[in-house]
Amino acid sequence: MKKLEVFGVVKLKGQITISGSKNASLPILAATLLSNKKISLNNLPKVKDIETMISLLKSLGSIVEYNKKTINIKNNKQVKTFASYSLVKTMRAGILVLGPLLAKFGKAKVSLPGGCAIGTRPVDIHLEALSKLGVKYKIIQGYVHANAPKGLIGANIKFPKISVGATENLIIAACLAKGKTILSNCAIEPEIKDLVNFLKKMGCNIKWTTKRTIKIKGVNTVNELDYKVMADRIEAGTYLIAAALTEGNLKIRGINPKIINTEINILKKIGAKITQKKNEIVIQGSKKIKNINIKTAPYPGFPTDLQAQMMVLLCKANKKSYIREEIFENRFMHVAELNRMGAKISIKGNKATIQGNIKFKAAELMATDLRASVSLILAAITSKGKSIINRIYHLDRGYEDIEKKLNKVGAKIKRIN
Ligand code: EPZ
């Protein structure tokens, strides 16, 4: 089992280029199932979840060729509509093939994702909304058996709760439905905007009519296209927090600052000096880190995917802070590990109380989920001595070349077997 050896204390200084967004790439890869034409995708991050999604597409019959940083996908022989548990269980975004398979073939058997460390990850909102497009489904032995005998029929659907995945699944499905679909109370994360841009370039008829309402008119044919996936705002936010944490000075390149405005404003409030250009952000961490209270929320609120990383930063603040996790029911798995490093964090329901002025101590640690694992790296680079982080397969699901990128700006991280 691979581990990371992390030596502290370091100050990060230099330049980091952001990779493609995992959470934009996954729905876009699923959406390629709508097409029989050649699709070339650029800037996909080299991370495990992308490999898993590509294996899932191949298991459905997609032909996938790699050409350096470009992936060419063709589905003309695409005949299977079965997405197996073995693939979906390790990457919950596998449920995103349900919408396109139903749209294209009128039937699908897709494994329920199952839970993970951060929560039970239900898909009831996806299924209820798909049934409004004419889908009939049954859950049998952990699989969704779905079909739409008359094909998908456009409808007006209001999501009962904001859900990134359900919004993506329904947007993709509605692209080939007969007639018009209006989706309201949609999630509007930048990754969803990137998916919509991809689908429009593919020839789909989609228009945002209000902030959280989208209108989709089904089409019969789609085009060949090549598309460059957007940069990863969570990766960018992680490195910004790393700079603030180590009183470092980083230039983060390849990211549009506008899509992480909330995070930038919070880091400025905490005391970091930040300047930004069209496609880059320069951050200088401050000696004094001011405390702040945060609650996670759907975009444009503070992202739940940066909650663990921000918690590490607030341990170094001058006073007590609070974080409320409003999106997932169990996203404090990193707290126990941080407390073993000397943090003083207490949990009551979905609220964490974080004592400030903490001096982290190096320790042997266990990663539990993707974002928790990166928070342990952040704590370890500010801890005197050598920390070991186990189960880093969690990390490799979503951060491309993380130790290479951090070592280039002064970290001392070694991957060991
Ligand atoms: C996406 O997950 C992201 N994953 C998550 O990132 C991210 O944390 C999350 O959105 C919130 O921003 C990808 O994009 C691949 P949701 P998703 O549907 O779509 C509940 C990472 O670290 N819910 O917006 O699964 C759900 O349990 C990952 O990169 C239902 O109850 O999130 C959660 O409490 C982790 N029923 C809340 O809604 C449903 O049918 C938000 O979930 C669907 C969701």
Side-chain angles (χ1 to χ4, degrees), residues 22-23 121-125 163-165 305 327-328 331 371:
K22 164 180 88 78
N23 290 352
R121 310 300 292 272
V123 290
D124 53 316
I125 299 173
S163 159
V164 170
D305 292 349
I327 306 290
F328 287 106
R331 202 169 197 174
R371 308 301 175 184

Side-chain angles (χ1 to χ4, degrees), residues 14 171 270 358:
I171 287 174
I270 284 180
I358 294 293

Side-chain angles (χ1 to χ4, degrees), residues 94-361:
I95 193 70
L96 292 176
V97 302
L98 181 62
L101 288 174
L102 286 165
K104 191 91 170 53
F105 301 99
K107 66 182 171 85
K109 180 181 169 189
V110 175
S111 169
L112 284 171
C116 70
I118 64 176
T120 52
R121 310 300 292 272
V123 290
D124 53 316
I125 299 173
H126 300 237
L127 297 175
E128 280 318 297
L130 284 168
S131 61
K132 293 192 178 121
L133 292 183
V135 174
K136 305 272 175 266
Y137 70 87
K138 279 200 200 79
I139 311 276
I140 306 170
Q141 291 178 316
Y143 279 85
V144 181
H145 293 249
N147 60 60
K150 301 196 194 77
L152 300 186
I153 321 282
N156 281 6
I157 299 169
K158 181 174 171 38
F159 292 110
K161 171 178 173 181
I162 291 175
S163 159
V164 170
T167 301
E168 291 165 344
N169 233 336
L170 270 290
I171 287 174
I172 299 170
C175 283
L176 299 188
K178 289 183 197 70
K180 185 171 75 172
T181 297
I182 309 259
L183 301 175
S184 39
N185 199 28
C186 292
I188 54 172
E189 270 63 6
E191 294 75 26
I192 293 178
K193 302 290 174 120
D194 208 31
L195 169 66
V196 169
N197 292 342
F198 168 79
L199 290 166
K200 284 166 87 167
K201 204 172 169 198
M202 192 198 259
C204 299
N205 184 332
I206 308 179
K207 193 168 176 311
W208 290 97
T209 52
T210 71
K211 185 180 170 195
R212 290 189 185 275
T213 305
I214 195 162
K215 180 169 75 174
I216 301 154
K217 284 190 185 141
V219 294
N220 299 319
T221 56
V222 291
N223 323 319
E224 266 195 19
L225 78 153
D226 64 47
Y227 192 79
K228 182 178 181 205
V229 168
M230 67 179 276
D232 193 312
R233 64 187 167 103
I234 304 299
E235 183 193 15
T238 301
Y239 294 132
L240 287 171
I241 291 170
L245 185 68
T246 59
E247 209 189 329
N249 185 315
L250 286 182
K251 179 184 277 187
I252 309 289
R253 305 201 50 220
I255 185 80
N256 168 3
K258 285 203 196 81
I259 64 172
I260 48 173
N261 203 28
T262 301
E263 297 88 321
I264 288 173
N265 289 337
I266 284 175
L267 289 170
K268 283 180 178 171
K269 278 199 191 113
I270 284 180
K273 300 268 170 296
I274 298 178
T275 55
Q276 50 201 54
K277 286 193 192 138
K278 189 161 167 298
N279 233 351
E280 84 182 24
I281 300 166
V282 176
I283 180 168
Q284 168 61 53
S286 60
K287 199 165 191 59
K288 186 175 161 228
I289 297 169
K290 294 186 204 106
N291 64 323
I292 189 169
N293 299 331
I294 285 174
K295 74 178 172 72
T296 62
Y299 193 87
F302 186 84
T304 174
D305 292 349
L306 283 176
Q307 179 256 104
Q309 300 90 314
M310 184 53 84
M311 193 178 275
V312 175
L313 181 56
L314 293 177
C315 288
K316 311 283 284 183
N318 57 344
K319 287 190 214 124
K320 185 161 66 171
S321 304
Y322 300 99
I323 293 184
R324 298 179 79 89
E325 173 51 63
E326 302 280 357
I327 306 290
F328 287 106
E329 68 269 27
N330 187 33
R331 202 169 197 174
F332 286 140
M333 302 286 280
H334 43 286
V335 168
E337 293 303 285
L338 294 176
N339 284 344
R340 291 181 56 246
M341 299 177 80
K344 292 189 179 58
I345 306 166
S346 57
I347 307 286
K348 200 154 179 283
N350 71 337
K351 185 173 162 184
T353 303
I354 301 124
Q355 299 303 331
N357 302 306
I358 294 293
K359 261 195 177 334
F360 284 113
K361 296 184 206 63

